Structures are given as structure tokens and as C-alpha cells.
Amino acid sequence: MNSTLLRTTALRSALRASAPTAATRAGLAGTTFVRGKATLPDLPYDYGALEPSISGAIMELHHKNHHNTYVTSFNTFSEQIAEAKAKEDITAQIALQPLLNFHGGGHVNHTLFWENLAPTAQGGGEPPSGALAKAINDSYGSLDAFQTKFNAALAGVQGSGWAWLVQDTQTGSVGIKTYANQDPVVGQFRPILGIDAWEHAYYLQYQNRKAEYFKAIWNVINWKAAEKRFQ
């Protein structure tokens, strides 16, 4: 695959080389890159380990079906756009780019999402500490106030999308941003913590009660992983 396809920081980090292991328990260091292709990352916990906040059925469907579709589609369109470049077919390259961005974004976003979660026995739900906790308090007054504003942002996502706690790479401050569909956090902002607001992330369990999902997921948020992203 042509390396110019991976110019954004998000995609480069999502396609770092690492060796996958067992499908449901291996460590997740990041999305894998094997012989020029993205691969589905393993989860560092069992599918049912986040219950009752997120059911095992949802986790399995979300990971094995939805995320895997983004991986396979990204690889397919990467190959097609590489062929179009080799043929100097600019029209085909332009037509394929939105598909590459969508599925690549879905791959990047979900890789971060799995890292954002942890069973309560492994620290899920434990509040942030250190510099990240201070940054949240400075911007929002308290963790509770931050979560209230974050959930309001999630509820405001129309259709499909994500809400993110981001860090401004220029000022170092944190803020809440929403992104439509599978647009990844790139450019001026660094993703610290993201929550999936697509229906496939909650509907099997919560149906139309998405506010319950937004509230419950904080019980399994992996703040330790978020702290590592904060700089």
C-alpha cells in the first residue's frame, strides 16, 4: 500500500506494527499493521467483562462485526486507491478518498474506544488523577460537571458520531468536541477520551434509552489510558 495514504498522524498511529494474539483477551497496544494492511486489534478483556454497563453481546457485535468491517473496507479501498494512483487516474482517487477516510476513521476511532474501556476489576470507572484531573477541574470545575457536559454533547449528536475529550496541542488545555460519522480527531487536537454515539454501540441493550448508555459507560471508562494520552 502506498505510504502516502497514511499521512495523517491518526492513521499512522493506528497502523503501527504489533503481533495480534487471542481474539478476546490479548493486550491492545494499538491497531496493527501487517504487510501493509490494517488488522482488527484484540481486546484486553473478555466481551462480557464490561457488564452490566455494556453487554457482552454488544461488545462482540461491535468489535467482530462493525469494527472489522471498517478494517476490511479500509484495506480494500487502500488497494483500490493505490491502483488508481499507479494508473494516474485522478478521478478514481478523488472518488475513493471519502471512503478511505470514513473507514480509516472508523478503524482509528474504535481502536481508541476499546482502550478507553476497562472492567471495574481492572480500574474501570476509577477517576482520573494527576495532570489530567487538574486540567479537567480547571476547565469544568469538577469531574461530575465535566461528565454532565460531556453527556449533553453526546445527546446532541444528531444521527451518528462521537464525543471526545480533546487536548489542544497549541495551548495544552482540554475541551469537549463532537465529530460526525467516523471523522477522527486530527490536526490541532489530540484525542484523550472518546465515546461512541452510534446506535450500534448501545441499541441492542439500551434501545432508545441512549441517555442510560451515556450514564452507564462512565462506570467502565479507563482513565489510566486517557492519562497516558494527555501531554
Side-chain angles (χ1 to χ4, degrees):
M1 181 171 61
N2 195 310
S3 61
T4 59
L5 299 178
L6 306 177
R7 287 179 178 173
T8 66
T9 301
L11 290 180
R12 282 199 302 269
S13 63
L15 299 174
R16 292 191 302 269
S18 63
T21 54
T24 59
R25 289 196 62 89
L28 177 60
T31 306
T32 56
F33 184 73
V34 177
R35 294 183 180 179
K37 290 189 176 183
T39 61
L40 182 69
D42 299 316
L43 302 186
Y45 40 75
D46 292 330
Y47 286 132
L50 304 180
E51 293 183 347
S53 297
I54 306 177
S55 74
I58 281 184
M59 289 298 295
E60 184 170 7
L61 179 68
H62 200 169
H63 178 254
K64 289 175 64 176
N65 293 62
H66 290 281
H67 189 174
N68 194 49
T69 295
Y70 295 126
V71 170
T72 55
S73 296
F74 175 78
N75 288 332
T76 295
F77 295 126
S78 293
E79 292 172 0
Q80 291 178 6
I81 203 169
E83 291 173 3
K85 286 187 175 183
K87 296 176 181 178
E88 299 183 352
D89 187 341
I90 297 175
T91 300
Q93 292 177 53
I94 293 171
L96 287 164
Q97 193 63 55
L99 296 169
L100 188 76
N101 292 346
F102 176 81
H103 292 284
H107 185 26
V108 169
N109 290 341
H110 282 86
T111 297
L112 294 176
F113 184 58
W114 309 135
E115 294 176 347
N116 287 341
L117 305 174
T120 55
Q122 297 177 22
E126 293 181 3
S129 60
L132 179 56
K134 182 179 184 303
I136 290 172
N137 289 337
D138 289 345
S139 294
Y140 297 98
S142 68
L143 181 61
D144 287 342
F146 160 75
Q147 290 177 346
T148 297
K149 289 185 179 294
F150 197 102
N151 285 358
L154 281 167
V157 173
Q158 296 182 353
S160 301
W162 294 71
W164 293 88
L165 171 64
V166 302
Q167 183 179 19
D168 190 318
T169 59
Q170 297 179 7
T171 67
S173 62
V174 296
I176 298 169
K177 284 191 164 292
T178 58
Y179 290 76
N181 300 315
Q182 293 296 353
D183 291 350
V185 181
V186 294
Q188 181 179 345
F189 300 101
R190 176 183 300 114
I192 303 299
L193 172 73
I195 293 180
D196 192 346
W198 282 64
E199 281 193 345
H200 65 235
Y202 64 85
Y203 200 84
L204 188 65
Q205 180 177 2
Y206 292 96
Q207 299 180 358
N208 64 326
R209 306 183 310 279
K210 64 180 181 180
E212 293 182 20
Y213 159 68
F214 298 152
K215 181 179 179 180
I217 198 170
W218 294 105
N219 296 324
V220 289
I221 288 295
N222 184 357
W223 282 106
K224 293 298 182 186
E227 289 169 7
K228 292 177 181 178
R229 295 194 194 107
F230 183 77
Q231 298 180 15

